Amino acid sequence: MARLLESLPEHIEAAVEVRDAWRRRATAGLEFLVQDLSRWAPGAVLRVAFLDGGTEAHARIADATRQITDACGVTLDFGLDPATGAYRRWTTADTTYAAEIRVSFDQGGYWSLVGTDSTDPTLAEADSPLGGSPHQRSLNLAGYGGILPDDWAGTVRHEFLHALAFKHTHQNMRGPCEGEFRWEDDDGYVPTRNDRGVFIADEAGRRPGVYTYLAGPPNRWSRARVDANLRTTESDDTTAGPFDSDSVMLYQFEPFFYRTAPSPCAPTGNGVDLSAGDIRGLQLLYPPEPGGELATRAETALTAVSGGAESIGGGDPYRQRLVEVLRGLAEGRVP
């Protein structure tokens, strides 16, 4: 059965692309990476709140994230009331932030904004159901307010790692996935669909490539969207650790996505528990002791940006948000 892949709506992806291009220009020459701006400050206490669902589901999700917070210097505060056993909630009428990470169960699919995007109001219009404003969802776990699927804990950890600025492992520029995916159709492939409209192998056994397969239901992705969500882009403002096939951030794709079997791009972990590489990544992003080199670089960049030099841009609301994020990293607090 064809699977709906995790992705953010196109208008969010487009907004992030425009904003990050501006940030590259704004921080040029400041020894500060755009990637750094997605990180929360080490030692941060991040509030989490639920839009819907019951207490039992909230408790299980909070419990699953302890594997993350036990490994690094960041706290996820679910606002548990010891007297009632209830967890923090937020509403779509909020005008101030009840939480940095605003969880819902009522949208389709599983997704999360990445890191500090969760509180970036420039990413979506006010009427968008998701975005970085107080009344918008920043993380969704479809249907998790009721009966949870067998692999629910791995999905929770995957999405909360996104909320802590982790990206997908298959897009790691040090990994093999770019060369392992079968992007194009087999030679001579005749587009063939099953009764659900999904592209399948034709009568001669020739297979659709990744682009063709994902153009059909249930994903219906354009080539540009496939590129944004699957392809690897090398950039001077991105750092990457070693490729980790055990990571919960590595997807299991359909076997025909890969050129070889077994594929070096296929996951080898259980898809539920953090790998040793995931834990190392958390410890690098969020060391136990706040401050350090990241705070120093943020302070330098903040001084330059706040100076109002024309070369670093001056447009609101991007500049205002950039200053907020840099100040948070420099001062060790949530922007």
Side-chain angles (χ1 to χ4, degrees), residues 298-310:
E299 183 64 43
T300 300
L302 178 63
T303 299
V305 171
S306 298
E310 193 66 29

Side-chain angles (χ1 to χ4, degrees), residues 147-205:
I147 298 174
L148 299 175
D150 291 341
D151 59 352
W152 70 272
T155 302
V156 167
R157 290 169 186 141
H158 180 106
E159 299 307 334
F160 271 86
L161 283 179
H162 277 317
L164 294 182
F166 275 57
K167 296 189 176 181
H168 286 135
T169 299
H170 61 260
Q171 292 186 289
N172 186 329
M173 59 189 177
R174 294 189 182 182
C177 296
E178 175 73 20
E180 262 297 296
F181 285 142
R182 292 181 49 261
W183 301 106
E184 304 296 345
D185 302 339
D186 288 341
D187 288 342
Y189 173 69
V190 177
T192 305
R193 298 175 185 253
N194 64 15
D195 57 1
R196 295 185 301 277
V198 177
F199 286 105
I200 58 175
D202 64 18
E203 291 183 353

Side-chain angles (χ1 to χ4, degrees), residues 46 48 50 57-72 74-78 87 101 103 139 141 152-161 163-164 272 274 282:
L46 304 177
V48 182
F50 296 97
H58 299 172
R60 295 181 73 180
I61 289 169
D63 184 65
T65 66
R66 291 196 184 100
Q67 202 175 95
I68 296 173
T69 52
D70 285 349
C72 66
V74 70
T75 298
L76 295 173
D77 175 9
F78 286 83
Y87 290 80
I101 301 173
V103 181
L139 187 155
L141 298 165
W152 70 272
T155 302
V156 167
R157 290 169 186 141
H158 180 106
E159 299 307 334
F160 271 86
L161 283 179
L164 294 182
V272 174
L274 301 187
L282 281 166

Side-chain angles (χ1 to χ4, degrees), residues 102-127:
R102 299 170 304 286
V103 181
S104 63
F105 306 130
D106 65 341
Q107 300 292 294
Y110 312 128
W111 43 258
S112 174
L113 295 178
V114 176
T116 56
D117 287 356
S118 298
T119 56
D120 187 345
T122 72
L123 294 184
E125 299 296 327
D127 60 354

